[in-house]
Every structure is written in structure tokens, then in C-alpha cells.
Amino acid sequence: RTGTGTGTSGFMQWMHSEHGPKTTHFWGPVANWGFVLAGLNDTVTKDPSCISPKMTSVLCVYSALFMRFAWVIQPRNMLLFACHFSN
């Protein structure tokens, strides 16, 4: 400790921050990682002929829109941006 007298750890500051786990800025992106995991699972378990070009296009547009949203909102949500970039 540097002797600032606040006594709050970095973890507790993050817990109560505007990006912490008490906000939708945290849980929204965490839930969206399910899309990424489902896509990775499909690449391993499904035949490439099962891939729908329409659904792939919709997912690309959806991800692009939410990447822009994650970049523009304040505070900037890099966890959400990374999730949709990974899609």
C-alpha cells in the first residue's frame, strides 16, 4: 500500500466500477460469448454444407452494429467489442 488511506483494493474498485460485474456492461458481453462458443462448436462438429449463408450474413451485420455500439457508448465497452469482433 502507498498509504493513501482509502483501503480499497483494485478488485473492490473493479467490483463497484461502471464496468464491474454489477452492471450490464459486464454481463451482456459475457452472455454474448455464447455465440462465439456455439460458432466454434459448429466448426468442429458440423459439415460445412450445413452453414447458412443468410444466417452468416445476419451474424456479420449484427456483430458490426454492436461493435460500433460498444465503441461509441460511454464508458467504452471493450469486452463487448471483443466479443462481437470474435463473431
Side-chain angles (χ1 to χ4, degrees):
R1 290 265 149 225
T2 59
T4 58
T6 59
T8 57
S9 69
F11 176 75
M12 290 308 292
Q13 289 175 354
W14 174 72
M15 283 288 293
H16 299 294
S17 75
E18 47 194 16
H19 291 104
K22 295 182 177 184
T23 68
T24 57
H25 285 279
F26 177 81
W27 289 109
V30 168
N32 272 300
W33 279 102
F35 290 129
V36 176
L37 295 174
L40 289 173
N41 183 50
D42 284 351
T43 62
V44 174
T45 60
K46 301 222 172 147
D47 189 60
S49 65
C50 294
I51 296 173
S52 166
K54 288 182 183 178
M55 189 61 200
T56 302
S57 300
V58 168
L59 184 60
C60 288
V61 170
Y62 168 82
S63 292
L65 289 172
F66 273 91
M67 281 171 54
R68 172 144 172 35
F69 171 77
W71 188 261
V72 171
I73 61 169
Q74 294 298 323
R76 191 166 282 163
N77 193 334
M78 297 309 290
L79 184 58
L80 183 63
F81 184 88
C83 169
H84 286 292
F85 181 80
S86 298
N87 275 340

